Amino acid sequence: MRFHIVTIFPDFFAGPFACGVVSRAQSAGLLEIHVHDLRNWTYDRHRTVDDRPFGGGEGMLLKPQPLFEVVEAILPARTAFTKTVLLSAQGERFTQVMARDFARLEDLVLICGRYEGVDERVAEHLADYELSIGDFVLSGGELAAAMLVDAVSRLLRGVLGDERSSR
């Protein structure tokens, strides 16, 4: 399985995936984690990823253009075995049942929300799921993405020493 994490803070993931079950699974070739810096899909010299909401309001949103481009680069052809998840506070709550479903995929793209959120076109036209990890607000989707990767990884064949440990 391949996890693709889209973020503006790629260095965040050096810690969570450097030890434990996820690290051992990567070393054994049971899963791959690719972290994609969203700023690499911008075209201005400041590498701008945010903008004011089109309809007005407070705060800033992640712009849709770089998000659409990075997902297209990661998954040029989407299949039944590839899914894209937008991590946001207003999403449906992530569950163990979803983790089991995701463990059957070949590629899972995780978009880490930031600021006041993302442009609504991302949720409507790009993401297969908009998920939250709980009834609270985080500064961004990076911690949620790390938790989701851990939950799904435990369900992959061979990751745990005893399959019964994943229940």
Side-chain angles (χ1 to χ4, degrees), residues 21 24 153-163 165-166:
V21 171
R24 287 192 306 273
S153 295
R154 296 172 47 79
L155 301 172
L156 299 174
R157 185 176 306 280
V159 169
L160 299 176
D162 185 338
E163 298 295 320
S165 298
S166 66

Side-chain angles (χ1 to χ4, degrees), residues 83-87 102 108-111 127-129 131 148:
K83 296 294 179 195
T84 300
V85 173
L86 170 60
L87 295 158
F102 291 161
L108 182 61
V109 177
L110 304 173
I111 300 172
D128 298 300
Y129 302 92
L131 298 179
L148 193 146

Side-chain angles (χ1 to χ4, degrees), residues 79-158:
T79 71
F81 297 102
T82 61
K83 296 294 179 195
T84 300
V85 173
L86 170 60
L87 295 158
S88 74
Q90 63 266 16
E92 177 184 356
R93 184 156 318 160
F94 176 65
T95 66
Q96 189 69 16
V97 171
M98 290 176 188
R100 284 190 196 97
D101 290 343
F102 291 161
R104 295 183 188 105
L105 299 174
E106 294 172 1
D107 289 278
L108 182 61
V109 177
L110 304 173
I111 300 172
C112 299
R114 266 284 149 181
Y115 308 117
E116 294 298 316
V118 300
D119 185 289
E120 190 59 31
R121 291 171 283 190
V122 173
E124 287 181 23
H125 304 293
L126 184 62
D128 298 300
Y129 302 92
E130 185 173 4
L131 298 179
S132 170
I133 59 162
D135 191 20
F136 49 88
V137 178
L138 297 170
S139 298
E142 288 78 14
L143 188 54
M147 294 171 71
L148 193 146
V149 167
D150 187 86
V152 173
S153 295
R154 296 172 47 79
L155 301 172
L156 299 174
R157 185 176 306 280

Side-chain angles (χ1 to χ4, degrees), residues 35-73:
V35 180
H36 305 272
D37 186 345
L38 183 61
R39 294 184 192 280
N40 291 339
W41 278 269
T42 61
Y43 300 100
D44 65 312
R45 69 180 204 170
H46 299 292
R47 301 174 71 201
T48 307
V49 296
D50 60 334
D51 202 357
R52 296 202 180 282
F54 180 73
E58 296 181 21
M60 302 292 275
L61 300 176
L62 284 177
K63 294 165 51 169
Q65 170 266 325
L67 289 168
F68 276 86
E69 287 191 26
V70 67
V71 172
E72 177 66 27

Side-chain angles (χ1 to χ4, degrees), residues 2-33:
R2 288 174 298 275
F3 294 95
H4 302 274
I5 302 172
V6 178
T7 177
I8 61 172
F9 295 112
D11 294 340
F12 172 89
F13 295 97
F17 301 143
C19 56
V21 171
V22 173
S23 177
R24 287 192 306 273
Q26 286 183 91
S27 295
L30 301 172
L31 63 91
E32 299 173 18
I33 300 173

